[in-house]
Amino acid sequence: MKKLKIGIIGCGSIAKHRHMPEYHESSGAVIAAVCDINEERANVFARLYGAEVYTDYRELLANKDIDAVSVCTPNYLHAPISAAALNAGKHVLCEKPMATSMEEAQDMIEAASKNGKKLMIAHNQRFVPSHKKAKELIAKGEVGKIYSFRTAFGHGGPEGWSADGKESWFFKKDQAFIGAMGDLGVHKTDLLRYLLGEEFAEAGAFVETSAKIGADVDDTAVCVLKTESGVIGTLATSWSYVSKEDNSTIIYGEKAILRLEDDPVHSLIVQYANGETVKYDLGGIQTNEEGGQKSSGVIDHFIESILNEQEPAIPGSEGMKSLQVILAALESSETKQIVRIN
């Protein structure tokens, strides 16, 4: 079987802990090139994986042998690098949020279409076993009509795992564009869209910087969201949770309540209206904690999509819809009004 030659653009923590190990473990790919403006950092991974070193992504994209790239850079570079890679004939797996505006996201989607290449956004929550099982139960009618939801994603902040610690680009608006809402909240908007099977129509939000001294991006946000069919719920995201990470979602339905990643032992608990409770132990969710990261499923799916010439589960169009909810939440916080999502 052909092995795809992969280029990694950006050698920070997300590349170190997720993209590189998963490509390395895959039977369908080999890491052929790594790129970072910090040459010393890039050299470490080049030696580890036997890859070629670049400090300019444009030179990497000029390498005709590279089949696909992972874009693991600061947020403001996601769109321009992804578009350039697609225009250079490479398939692209881009970290989230995919872009800093709807216009940038659209540019990426058009570049993928024009060049006949795959564009996938790395929303790994769709691949979590408890989330996949919940999607299955909802589709089978086990939950009945869904009334509401609440979801949260929070931890102590990126300084605990980012390659640059407290000096990380995550805290700089000109590079990150958005803080906890972009880092964590966009994952949950994507998950909710996946679980509920419909789009959000309205958003209201409070988005604040309250915990991180010196940061000029948000670190705490609470959103109220309403779907097109009228399902309402809350999304809380934060870098100010000083204890264990919270990555929970609860779906309240006519026939059952689904508790996802809300229990330390059982990754999915179903509480039926008739009093019955079913507990599933499906394995833990991916975590940034040392030794806790398992295969996210993202890399394997991206590779399979290319080799099997199939549309990835989370193409650019899906990433853009999840981004749109976050942009609406930001607008709501700024205008102090409920924002309609087109």
Side-chain angles (χ1 to χ4, degrees):
M1 184 178 74
K2 177 191 175 184
K3 282 202 171 192
L4 298 172
K5 293 186 176 179
I6 305 296
I8 309 289
I9 302 176
C11 295
S13 287
I14 198 72
K16 176 183 177 181
H17 294 295
R18 300 196 179 180
H19 291 251
M20 293 187 195
E22 292 187 36
Y23 279 122
H24 185 63
E25 288 296 316
S26 171
S27 61
V30 61
I31 300 171
V34 293
C35 177
D36 199 285
I37 56 173
N38 183 328
E39 188 172 8
E40 183 179 346
R41 185 176 294 166
N43 278 327
V44 170
F45 297 110
R47 288 192 293 269
L48 184 61
Y49 296 109
E52 196 169 346
V53 176
Y54 295 89
T55 56
D56 187 330
Y57 74 87
R58 288 162 293 201
E59 293 180 6
L60 184 152
L61 296 180
N63 183 339
K64 302 293 186 186
D65 292 333
I66 301 297
D67 298 302
V69 299
S70 269
V71 178
C72 303
T73 61
N75 297 340
Y76 79 110
L77 292 172
H78 286 175
I81 292 178
S82 293
L86 292 161
N87 287 327
K90 319 297 184 190
H91 302 285
V92 172
L93 174 60
C94 181
E95 268 300 328
K96 49 70 200 168
M98 70 182 287
T100 64
S101 69
M102 292 295 286
E103 291 77 16
E104 280 191 341
Q106 192 62 52
D107 287 345
M108 294 167 66
I109 293 167
E110 289 174 1
S113 177
K114 180 180 69 175
N115 294 286
K117 296 298 174 182
K118 310 296 182 192
L119 168 62
M120 179 174 166
I121 312 304
H123 284 299
N124 56 19
Q125 298 241 345
R126 295 197 189 197
F127 297 92
V128 173
S130 61
H131 297 164
K132 291 168 72 174
K133 183 64 177 180
K135 174 75 169 177
E136 176 189 317
L137 293 175
I138 291 170
K140 285 168 59 178
E142 291 273 319
V143 183
K145 178 180 171 60
I146 294 175
Y147 298 135
S148 64
F149 60 84
R150 65 179 172 91
T151 190
F153 198 177
H155 53 54
E159 66 269 42
W161 78 293
S162 172
D164 296 312
K166 291 182 178 180
E167 304 303 314
S168 175
W169 59 265
F170 277 99
F171 301 111
K172 301 170 184 175
K173 191 177 181 67
D174 61 338
Q175 296 180 51
F177 158 66
I178 188 173
M181 279 288 284
D183 181 33
L184 307 176
V186 75
H187 267 316
K188 286 310 180 106
T189 61
D190 189 74
L191 173 63
L192 288 167
R193 290 181 51 251
Y194 167 73
L195 290 176
L196 301 176
E198 60 174 318
E199 301 303 330
F200 288 107
E202 296 177 88
F206 293 97
V207 181
E208 301 292 338
T209 305
S210 56
K212 301 302 179 186
I213 298 171
D216 58 1
V217 294
D218 59 280
D219 56 37
T220 302
V222 176
C223 311
V224 179
L225 301 171
K226 182 178 181 179
T227 70
E228 291 174 338
S229 73
V231 180
I232 57 174
T234 59
L235 183 158
T237 181
S238 184
W239 286 340
S240 62
Y241 294 2
V242 296
S243 186
K244 195 175 186 298
E245 177 178 288
D246 185 358
N247 202 339
S248 61
T249 300
I250 303 176
I251 305 292
Y252 300 94
E254 171 191 12
K255 299 178 181 178
I257 296 172
L258 304 181
R259 296 186 177 274
L260 312 172
E261 305 299 333
D262 189 47
D263 181 86
V265 177
H266 303 285
S267 53
L268 170 61
I269 297 177
V270 185
Q271 299 168 314
Y272 289 96
N274 64 8
E276 181 187 3
T277 297
V278 179
K279 298 181 178 181
Y280 295 88
D281 185 1
L282 303 170
I285 197 167
Q286 294 88 36
T287 173
N288 296 337
E289 294 173 6
E290 189 68 31
Q293 177 60 31
K294 306 299 181 186
S295 175
S296 67
V298 171
I299 304 300
D300 286 342
H301 182 77
F302 178 58
I303 293 169
E304 289 166 8
S305 298
I306 297 170
L307 294 177
N308 297 330
E309 298 184 2
Q310 297 174 340
E311 181 80 337
I314 312 152
S317 57
E318 284 291 289
M320 182 170 68
K321 289 172 184 174
S322 297
L323 170 67
Q324 189 174 22
V325 180
I326 295 302
L327 294 175
L330 283 181
E331 183 183 342
S332 172
S333 182
E334 291 166 0
T335 62
K336 305 303 179 188
Q337 295 180 349
I338 299 296
V339 172
R340 184 84 192 161
I341 302 170
N342 295 323

